[in-house]
Amino acid sequence: MSDTPSPATGRLTTHVLDTVHGTPAAGMSIALYVREPSPDGCADGRWLLLRSVTTNADGRVDGPLLQGEDFKPGHYRLIFDVEAYFRGRGTPMPETPFLSKVPLDFGIANATAHYHVPLLCSPWAYSTYRGS
C-alpha cells in the first residue's frame, strides 16, 4: 500500500432544462468563473473566466466543466445566458427581459465529490439545487 494520496476524483457538471417548452435547453451558453483569493485575505478576489461552453441536445455539456487537477475547493460562478437562449427559440419576451443572464455562485468544499449544478429556467423564473 502506498503513502501517496490518490488524485482528486471529483468533478463539476451542469444540466439546463427549459420549463417553458418542457425540453432540455440545447444551445444555451454558459460561462464558468473561479474567484481568486484577494491579496489581503479580507476582501473578495476578482472573478477569472475558466471556460465558456454551450449545452448539447440533452441540455448538458459534453464532459465535466471541471475535473482532475482543475477541480479544487473554492468559490465558483456559473453564468447562464437565458435571454439569448429564449430569444433564439422565438419565445415572446419584452425588449427588456426580466431575466437576461442568470449567475449562480456556489462553493466547492470537497475535491473528491461530484458537484452537479442544474438550472431549471424560463424567461421569468429559475431554480437550482445541488444534484447528484
Side-chain angles (χ1 to χ4, degrees):
M1 180 179 242
S2 170
D3 290 333
T4 307
S6 62
T9 57
R11 67 193 186 280
L12 172 65
T13 58
T14 190
H15 186 199
V16 186
L17 298 173
D18 172 340
T19 60
V20 171
H21 300 98
T23 62
M28 183 178 290
S29 297
I30 304 169
L32 172 64
Y33 293 82
V34 63
R35 190 172 70 198
E36 277 190 327
S38 65
D40 62 8
C42 295
D44 289 344
R46 64 185 176 135
W47 290 99
L48 297 174
L49 178 65
L50 293 178
R51 63 189 297 211
S52 296
V53 296
T54 302
T55 56
N56 61 23
D58 193 34
R60 298 177 187 273
V61 175
D62 295 329
L65 291 164
L66 288 176
Q67 67 180 347
E69 292 180 7
D70 295 329
F71 188 74
K72 301 173 187 167
H75 297 278
Y76 293 86
R77 175 178 287 165
L78 285 168
I79 299 181
F80 299 84
D81 195 346
V82 172
E83 177 185 4
Y85 166 78
F86 283 107
R87 288 203 189 283
R89 294 270 332 234
T91 306
M93 296 167 50
E95 185 177 329
T96 303
F98 180 68
L99 293 176
S100 179
K101 292 181 175 25
V102 172
L104 297 179
D105 291 358
F106 60 97
I108 292 174
N110 181 350
T112 64
H114 178 195
Y115 284 74
H116 183 66
V117 183
L119 182 75
L120 289 75
C121 64
S122 78
W124 310 278
Y126 67 90
S127 69
T128 190
Y129 55 93
R130 180 173 173 197
S132 58

